[in-house]
Amino acid sequence: MLAYDGRIEEADRIIVATGGKAAPNFGSNGTGYDILKSFGHRITELKPSLVQIKTETEVVRKLKGIKLIANVTLEGNTEYGEVLFTEYGLSGPAVFNISSRLGSDKTISLDIMPEYSREDIYNMLIERISFNAKLPLENFFVGMLNKRVGQALLKYIGAEPLSRYAVTLSEKEISRICAVIKNWNFNITGTMSWNNAQTTRGGVVTDEFDPVTMQSKLKKGLYAAGEVLDIDGDCGGYNLQWAWSSGAVAGISAASNT
């Protein structure tokens, strides 16, 4: 027997496949958590996942629309891939994937030249200065980095005015440039809302369900599948595959459970 929203429904077998809380415009309002909780199941903390990360905007809003390939580090985890600067923070596949690891850490770090070591970058900068001594700093990174990214980086380390010649860069400034290229920190202010999230982090505790049948260990005839359970994967169709596979298992098991 299922009692919810003022109604009572009776069935021998019930499959809860209501989704999570992500993308509520499609009807994902968390109903499934309440249903399963009413049967005694525990729910872990629910957070938006595969979602854009909001940061302090002083730097990122000036780089809005620029994409680059970077190593993205958060909570000791690193994702490699495309990063998109936005007016509110960071987006792109690498950021989406690592958003599921967001915890107490309030800093996200970008390595915007992951294919090179810090020493490699230092040598590249010294060589560029030697061949382009009178190149204005505003154009110093052209051909090495996106022009606007390079300008933002120089402003970030305090190398203004950008009308200066490259030869005026001090040893300290060059070292600082190398450090920021390999570890550019952005202070996190949160994530975008459930409306922007592709999936839910958290959900019904998986230990309380049989992984072979998807049947509840607490209530015979009760099954769950998909995002309502505490399982979330990276970008690339993994969450869809989990929904399809667990739904198929739950359906077959419920139908054969006589």
Side-chain angles (χ1 to χ4, degrees):
M1 180 180 293
L2 172 64
Y4 187 76
D5 197 24
R7 296 172 297 175
I8 296 178
E9 304 286 347
E10 293 189 11
D12 294 328
R13 293 173 287 279
I14 297 171
I15 300 174
V16 179
T18 56
K21 293 189 70 175
N25 53 308
F26 293 115
S28 303
N29 59 7
T31 297
Y33 303 121
D34 296 332
I35 292 172
L36 291 170
K37 190 174 181 179
S38 72
F39 285 101
H41 284 285
R42 295 172 294 155
I43 315 297
T44 62
E45 184 179 5
L46 306 174
K47 294 182 178 180
S49 188
L50 298 190
V51 67
Q52 303 93 334
I53 292 179
K54 296 167 67 176
T55 69
E56 292 181 348
T57 59
E58 182 179 357
V59 174
V60 295
R61 66 185 177 189
K62 298 175 183 177
L63 301 176
K64 179 182 176 181
I66 293 176
K67 297 179 181 179
L68 50 77
I69 302 299
N71 276 336
V72 184
T73 301
L74 176 67
E75 301 279 355
N77 301 283
T78 299
E79 287 283 343
Y80 172 81
E82 186 178 89
V83 174
L84 170 66
F85 290 99
T86 71
E87 61 185 4
Y88 53 78
L90 302 172
S91 184
V95 174
F96 270 60
N97 282 340
I98 211 163
S99 67
S100 65
R101 277 80 166 182
L102 182 59
S104 59
D105 197 340
K106 295 303 180 183
T107 302
I108 185 169
S109 175
L110 301 183
D111 175 356
I112 62 174
M113 294 184 68
E115 66 273 34
Y116 297 102
S117 68
R118 186 165 171 173
E119 183 180 0
D120 290 335
I121 296 169
Y122 177 86
N123 291 332
M124 290 168 66
L125 295 180
I126 294 298
E127 184 176 11
R128 288 176 80 82
I129 292 171
S130 68
F131 283 103
N132 302 279
K134 292 189 176 182
L135 181 68
L137 290 183
E138 63 181 352
N139 296 320
F140 181 65
F141 283 106
V142 174
M144 181 176 175
L145 293 172
N146 178 284
K147 182 178 179 179
R148 283 166 56 199
V149 171
Q151 291 175 345
L153 189 155
L154 289 166
K155 291 177 180 178
Y156 183 82
I157 70 158
E160 297 176 278
L162 299 189
S163 57
R164 291 167 51 192
Y165 290 150
V167 73
T168 66
L169 284 171
S170 67
E171 178 68 25
K172 184 177 180 180
E173 288 173 323
I174 296 171
S175 294
R176 176 67 172 148
I177 290 170
C178 295
V180 174
I181 286 175
K182 296 300 291 181
N183 188 33
W184 199 346
N185 293 321
F186 297 84
N187 293 326
I188 297 171
T189 59
T191 68
M192 294 297 279
S193 70
W194 288 108
N195 290 325
N196 299 80
Q198 293 186 17
T199 191
T200 304
R201 178 186 178 189
V204 181
V205 175
T206 55
D207 286 348
E208 296 174 354
F209 285 82
D210 185 337
V212 176
T213 63
M214 305 308 298
Q215 182 172 210
S216 167
K217 296 178 181 178
L218 308 182
K219 185 69 174 180
K220 185 178 179 180
L222 177 64
Y223 299 79
E227 192 175 331
V228 73
L229 292 162
D230 185 8
I231 292 178
D232 61 285
D234 290 343
C235 291
Y238 299 105
N239 294 289
L240 289 171
Q241 185 61 59
W242 161 245
W244 296 328
S245 298
S246 59
V249 170
I252 292 169
S253 300
S256 61
N257 183 5
T258 57

